[in-house]
Amino acid sequence: MNRSLDPQWLSPPGARGDEAVRGDVGTGVGASLPHESAHLHVAGSAPYVDDLPELAGTLHAALGLSPVAHGRLVAVDRDRIATMPGVVAVLVAADIPGPNDCGPVVHDDPILADGVVHYLGQPVFAVIAETRDQARRAAAQAKAALTIEPLAPILTPVEAHAAKSYVLAPMHLARGDARAAIAAAPHRLADTLEVGGQEQFYLEGQISYAVPREDRGMLVHCSTQHPSEMQHLVAKCLGLQSHHVQVECRRMGGGFGGKESQSALFACVAAIAARQLGRPVKLRLDRDDDFMITGRRHCFHYEYEVGYDDDGRILGAELTMVSRAGFSADLSGPVMTRAICHFDNAYWLPDVAIHGYSGRTNTQSNTAFRGFGGPQGAIAVENIIDSIARQLGKDPLDVRRVNFYGPSPRAGAPGERNVTPYGQVVDDNIVVELVAELEATSGYRARRQAIAEYNATSAVLKRGIALTPVKFGISFNLVHLNQAGALVHVYGDGSVLVNHGGTEMGQGLNTKVAQVVAHELGVDIASVRVTATDTQKVANTSATAASTGSDLNGKAAQDAARQIKARLVAFAAERHGVAADEVRFAADEVEIGAKKTVSFRELIVEAYMARVQLWSDGFYATPGLSWDRETMQGHPFYYFAYGAAVSEVVVDTLTGEWRLLAGHVLHDAGRSLNPAIDIGQIEGGFIQGMGWLTMEELVWHPNDGTPRAGLLLTHAPSTYKIPTANDCPPVFDVRLWKDGVGDDNVAETIHRSKATGEPPLLLPFSVFFAIRDAVSSAGDHRVDPPLSAPATSEAILRAVTSVQAARP
């Protein structure tokens, strides 16, 4: 029996990371507690926006979409639509009281098209009707109601680059002299790569419910990752001030970045209609319209050239990245910035030049997606290293290892191979030790040998294996966004209410924040409740994005709880005549000196009677950050999260079908606030990233001069495939790296924890390169497989055919 299929060998003792589950269940921090809404989720009783009871008089909105990818908007036949059954109003750009714009950075993103339509699926008008079905039926008349003079569209990033059509000015980052280093290198490699985009495919689609309030006020229930931005944009489009608008979000059914900026259009349309008609208006998209209107992960085109030595050490590299930004800027600038800042991944690049272009195309405006450009940047260098290894006949892991960043300054080697191309010192590097541990515990070397023996005797089925690392920077690149606020209330019965600026989208943010507050006050987690995110409670919040949710909001809530605790300590010490350091909170009790213990509730009652303030606001701003977007230099990340994964696959060279046989993950979560939630995030991120790189293919109708040009053909689950439970490997071992690592290796985050939202999405690079390894074996590893992502079965088969044809 081939040992690479032996589950006991693939799954060494302790691989599930049970040793990482630690902590005091009572205080919460470090304990593997369930998600705070888990009992509601499984019972089907967790309310989302569409579950809220509709107020009397509620109307429903639907959007009329452009049937062409590019053209001049000549006329909208509103009368044709207005006569449809149940229609109350038809709104166009001219009906918007304020600016017709919902762009998050650049003001180039109209709420409703005006003058020119920029993509097939762009909203041109809104139908408001008595029922949702009536609104949708009327909106479906868009093709007949719109008069549009077609213009030639640009659909791909390559076309945009050739036409010098960009939504933003190009970005350039350089260190040293890349061209000279490449020219002087013993070996050179030049190639291109294509990596596709990815639909967020959140379970709950885009939805907003706007309710008019007194004195021009507006309440908007919105499924959004950024309530404050929705508040600002709704107020602006209504010609009001922010204090007129309240945005509330209790939970989302997934976001993944797709509800960071792009929930704005729907919040604005619902609010405009509610304002004009004086009635509540709900706008809920169906899945097809969601696909057709909203953007997704940017696809990237790469052109690169590198020089390297006999060991595979990169001496010089030049990379050009062109993204499909879509018709407007949206968040394409920050996405490209992060892509550029993650091209190095875990590797020292001494001489490097990186060029980033955000191509303007007549497609949906692409936006944030888990990883926010980081995965698109890092996969380029991983592809380069994989190709270098094949050219030299070496194990890719050995080539990766010689390129790793050097020891951190704290380890005794200041300034040696540990400065990123953008000038930040890598002072928390653990990638060498982490990869070494995973290499050993996964049996990587023995499995590679076993795979080689298997492939030598198997003509059709080929196996492959890869181990890839991750170094991911945590913080917003825009420094001012790295702030958060929170409110903590302690009631007379000892119960605690928390509100903060982050949003819950299933990732467990509220659970972690509740654990932090419970820990600070020494109470059981059951005593703490976290309420809906509300712009009238915590103002000027940042998006729940960039993997900063727990770092920022956990620290803000901790600050608020500590202020309350400090007041209680001072009160108890004075009343009972003890020193402040003799007052300790734990397990729902308060020890006051050596002889007295009272319940937390008793102390709260005493403090209330003594008029001690039992609520507080908290605030946190991440220290030490800097970024110059002109020079692309600074210290944009508070810390780096690290991880590594080993994947083993089998590929059918006759059909291109493949299976993931085993996945082993070792990830750095610092001192995990909740190991169960973190492991769940790592597992989910791995499978989602695997879907991006192997099966989730976005296809637009080509620019053939027909009206269908620019039509997104994969706009529903029938044509766009995401991973299912069946795609999970039979062996899937996820462990946390040294839970409770030393303070020297972890920044002063909330309880020395690290983010697990975005970094795990890069772990399934190992799946893609394992597939590449299997395809390469079809040519005896003598030909570099021409495989781009997603590596669908069709793409794999084409690569196998190419490798076999080119085999010497």
Side-chain angles (χ1 to χ4, degrees):
M1 179 179 179
N2 191 312
R3 293 187 70 195
S4 65
L5 285 180
D6 182 354
Q8 292 183 343
W9 190 70
L10 287 170
S11 183
R16 287 297 301 178
D18 294 334
E19 74 281 0
V21 178
R22 62 171 179 83
D24 183 337
V25 174
T27 59
V29 166
S32 288
L33 302 180
H35 190 286
E36 49 98 23
S37 294
H39 61 294
L40 302 176
H41 293 153
V42 298
S45 56
Y48 296 84
V49 173
D50 199 39
D51 299 315
L52 299 177
E54 293 180 3
L55 298 174
T58 294
L59 298 171
H60 296 265
L63 298 170
L65 310 181
S66 169
V68 299
H70 195 200
R72 293 187 183 87
L73 180 59
V74 177
V76 180
D77 188 351
R78 298 171 73 167
D79 292 340
R80 180 188 183 105
I81 304 164
T83 57
M84 296 283 291
V87 173
V88 176
V90 180
L91 305 180
V92 296
D95 297 310
I96 299 174
N100 180 21
D101 173 68
C102 59
V105 181
V106 180
H107 303 304
D108 63 347
D109 208 337
I111 300 167
L112 297 173
D114 187 14
V116 178
V117 294
H118 296 283
Y119 69 95
L120 199 159
Q122 183 177 7
V124 180
F125 60 87
V127 177
I128 318 301
E130 295 291 347
T131 70
R132 182 169 179 267
D133 183 64
Q134 289 170 336
R136 292 187 62 211
R137 288 180 182 277
Q141 298 297 310
K143 189 171 184 179
L146 297 177
T147 303
I148 300 173
E149 294 179 356
L151 297 171
I154 293 175
L155 299 180
T156 71
V158 174
E159 292 173 11
H161 193 40
K164 292 183 168 35
S165 174
Y166 310 118
V167 297
L168 297 162
M171 302 178 187
H172 305 282
L173 171 62
R175 175 168 64 186
D177 190 336
R179 295 310 312 167
I182 294 168
H187 307 281
R188 288 181 291 279
L189 171 70
D191 208 345
T192 63
L193 176 67
E194 306 290 336
V195 173
Q198 184 180 23
E199 170 64 30
Q200 290 89 357
F201 218 108
Y202 24 66
L203 291 179
E204 176 201 31
Q206 297 279 4
I207 182 171
S208 286
Y209 185 29
V211 181
R213 291 291 180 88
E214 66 176 48
D215 195 19
R216 298 183 295 164
M218 185 68 66
L219 167 64
V220 182
H221 296 281
C222 183
S223 183
T224 181
Q225 296 171 237
H226 202 344
S228 286
E229 184 167 88
M230 300 308 105
Q231 176 193 32
H232 168 72
L233 291 172
V234 167
K236 187 175 73 168
C237 79
L238 295 179
L240 301 174
Q241 294 178 285
S242 291
H243 67 209
H244 288 102
V245 179
Q246 176 185 5
V247 176
E248 182 177 309
C249 178
R250 171 59 182 92
R251 60 172 59 84
M252 287 168 277
F256 307 115
K259 296 175 180 175
E260 182 175 344
S261 64
Q262 299 217 348
S263 47
L265 188 150
F266 314 105
C268 289
V269 168
I272 291 165
R275 166 80 178 277
Q276 178 164 318
L277 300 173
R279 294 169 64 178
V281 175
K282 180 188 287 188
L283 172 53
R284 174 170 68 86
L285 299 188
D286 71 356
R287 184 66 63 181
D288 288 84
D289 286 347
D290 206 318
F291 263 86
M292 296 297 292
I293 296 170
T294 65
R296 46 197 61 85
R297 186 187 300 282
H298 296 67
C299 72
F300 270 58
H301 167 79
Y302 308 83
E303 299 172 5
Y304 57 81
E305 186 175 4
V306 296
Y308 56 96
D309 65 16
D310 293 341
D311 293 323
R313 188 175 289 106
I314 296 174
L315 305 175
E318 184 166 19
L319 171 71
T320 295
M321 297 186 285
V322 186
S323 70
R324 178 192 269 125
F327 83 96
S328 68
D330 197 83
L331 296 173
S332 293
V335 165
M336 183 58 74
T337 299
R338 188 167 281 260
I340 290 172
C341 289
H342 281 76
F343 171 57
D344 62 325
N345 195 20
Y347 310 111
W348 161 252
L349 303 174
D351 291 86
V352 60
I354 311 168
H355 316 287
Y357 300 87
S358 300
R360 185 189 298 276
T361 57
N362 294 112
T363 55
Q364 293 83 359
S365 189
N366 284 328
T367 189
F369 195 129
R370 193 177 193 173
F372 202 78
Q376 293 98 312
I379 196 170
V381 75
E382 293 297 342
N383 195 75
I384 289 168
I385 287 178
D386 192 66
S387 294
I388 289 173
R390 196 162 289 106
Q391 296 294 326
L392 295 175
K394 294 181 177 291
D395 187 321
L397 177 57
D398 294 332
V399 177
R400 289 185 166 94
R401 184 167 273 129
V402 300
N403 283 287
F404 280 158
Y405 274 108
S408 298
R410 295 174 185 173
E416 183 181 349
R417 292 171 54 87
N418 62 1
V419 180
T420 66
Y422 47 89
Q424 179 166 342
V425 175
V426 181
D427 58 7
D428 57 2
N429 187 10
I430 59 171
V431 72
V432 173
E433 300 94 323
L434 188 149
V435 167
E437 180 175 323
L438 181 62
E439 178 187 5
T441 58
S442 67
Y444 172 82
R445 297 290 180 179
R447 289 165 67 185
R448 180 164 283 286
Q449 179 61 36
I451 286 169
E453 294 170 1
Y454 175 90
N455 287 341
T457 60
S458 178
V460 175
L461 299 180
K462 299 291 185 181
R463 289 183 184 160
I465 192 170
L467 189 160
T468 58
V470 173
K471 175 182 72 66
F472 195 91
I474 305 298
S475 289
F476 289 100
N477 276 77
L478 289 175
V479 174
H480 73 271
L481 296 179
N482 295 283
Q483 60 175 296
L487 295 173
V488 175
H489 296 177
V490 180
Y491 293 102
D493 62 356
S495 64
V496 181
L497 191 72
V498 182
N499 190 269
H500 59 85
T503 53
E504 175 63 54
M505 61 195 91
Q507 84 278 36
L509 173 59
N510 284 350
T511 307
K512 288 184 174 182
V513 171
Q515 287 178 269
V516 167
V517 172
H519 176 85
E520 290 301 323
L521 298 178
V523 299
D524 191 277
I525 190 71
S527 298
V528 182
R529 182 183 183 94
V530 181
T531 58
T533 310
D534 187 334
T535 57
Q536 288 191 351
K537 292 181 180 177
V538 178
N540 306 319
T541 60
S542 296
T544 305
S547 301
T548 62
S550 297
D551 288 353
L552 296 178
N553 296 286
K555 275 285 194 180
Q558 181 187 57
D559 179 44
R562 282 181 172 176
Q563 292 180 54
I564 297 171
K565 184 177 178 180
R567 296 184 199 120
L568 292 172
V569 167
F571 165 72
E574 180 181 2
R575 169 160 291 198
H576 297 282
V578 300
D581 61 5
E582 294 182 87
V583 181
R584 290 177 289 273
F585 293 68
D588 281 326
E589 292 184 333
V590 183
E591 294 181 10
I592 306 173
K595 298 182 179 180
K596 187 171 183 63
T597 299
V598 299
S599 70
F600 180 77
R601 179 180 178 179
E602 287 177 298
L603 181 62
I604 292 301
V605 171
E606 290 181 12
Y608 170 72
M609 298 300 291
R611 297 184 294 177
V612 175
Q613 181 180 331
L614 296 176
W615 62 269
S616 184
D617 62 312
F619 182 77
Y620 176 74
T622 309
L625 301 179
S626 65
W627 181 247
D628 186 328
R629 66 179 182 180
E630 299 300 323
T631 63
M632 300 200 76
Q633 294 291 303
H635 191 288
F637 305 120
Y638 189 42
Y639 64 87
F640 296 101
Y642 298 87
V646 175
S647 292
E648 182 177 341
V649 304
V650 60
V651 171
D652 186 329
T653 60
L654 295 181
T655 65
E657 294 174 284
W658 68 279
R659 290 288 294 173
L660 177 59
L661 300 176
H664 292 266
V665 172
L666 184 59
H667 195 75
D668 166 33
R671 294 182 177 177
S672 174
L673 293 174
N674 187 316
I677 284 178
D678 284 339
I679 288 174
Q681 284 289 292
I682 296 164
E683 291 173 340
F686 186 98
I687 297 300
Q688 188 174 52
M690 182 181 77
W692 166 49
L693 293 172
T694 64
M695 64 183 69
E696 296 185 42
E697 186 175 24
L698 293 161
V699 179
W700 282 266
H701 191 90
N703 191 359
D704 58 1
T706 69
R708 288 174 58 85
L711 171 65
L712 179 62
L713 300 174
T714 50
H715 56 81
S718 58
T719 49
Y720 185 84
K721 300 301 181 182
I722 64 173
T724 69
N726 289 334
D727 296 300
C728 296
V731 176
F732 194 20
D733 296 323
V734 176
R735 291 187 295 127
L736 300 182
W737 160 258
K738 291 181 181 177
D739 190 46
V741 294
D743 290 351
D744 286 346
N745 290 325
V746 183
E748 195 176 344
T749 58
I750 183 69
H751 289 283
R752 303 281 182 176
S753 63
K754 286 191 174 185
T756 55
E758 293 175 306
L761 194 127
L762 286 71
L763 294 168
F765 285 1
S766 58
V767 177
F768 178 79
F769 291 107
I771 293 173
R772 207 165 185 251
D773 184 53
V775 172
S776 175
S777 71
D780 300 324
H781 298 293
R782 298 180 183 179
V783 181
D784 208 32
L787 185 64
S788 290
T792 61
S793 293
E794 297 89 341
I796 292 171
L797 186 57
R798 287 193 296 269
V800 168
T801 302
S802 177
V803 164
Q804 290 174 334
R807 181 172 53 191

